[in-house]
Amino acid sequence: MSKSTDERGRIYLPKGVRERFGDQYRIVELPSHVALFPVDDDPLEGLRDAVGDAFEGDDADQLKTDARERITEDVQAEAERRMEERED
């Protein structure tokens, strides 16, 4: 399927696409192209559907807290790595 943007940069998706995938999408910029990925009304439920029972019984708030902590650790490690590279 090929679509063009309008004068304001909007892309209109056909009704059949919206009915099948929904109205919300994440835009992902890749090195060679841009991709649209549907976002579930309940992203956590969509994740559970995708990975089966991997998160069975896990609390959504605790999953968010764990994810935020991991992101913070990753960002701090990256900042430290960059500082070390500057010192060398």
Side-chain angles (χ1 to χ4, degrees):
M1 171 186 320
S2 178
K3 291 289 175 186
S4 299
T5 61
D6 68 8
E7 67 279 352
R8 294 181 65 191
R10 296 176 293 199
I11 298 173
Y12 292 93
L13 300 175
K15 183 178 180 180
V17 171
R18 294 189 319 270
E19 288 175 345
R20 183 173 174 199
F21 295 105
D23 293 322
Q24 294 185 16
Y25 295 82
R26 178 163 308 280
I27 300 170
V28 178
E29 294 180 50
L30 301 167
S32 63
H33 62 281
V34 174
L36 296 176
F37 291 94
V39 175
D40 292 312
D41 291 333
D42 180 356
L44 188 56
E45 187 63 34
L47 179 61
R48 285 188 170 125
D49 290 344
V51 299
D53 62 358
F55 297 109
E56 186 77 27
D58 288 344
D59 177 63
D61 290 333
Q62 186 60 48
L63 289 171
K64 289 178 191 176
T65 299
D66 293 347
R68 288 183 180 122
E69 288 173 0
R70 179 61 193 264
I71 289 168
T72 300
E73 292 169 4
D74 289 350
V75 168
Q76 289 173 341
E78 178 67 16
E80 290 172 8
R81 184 189 64 77
R82 290 182 181 198
M83 291 290 285
E84 290 174 3
E85 285 179 358
R86 288 183 190 156
E87 292 173 357
D88 291 337

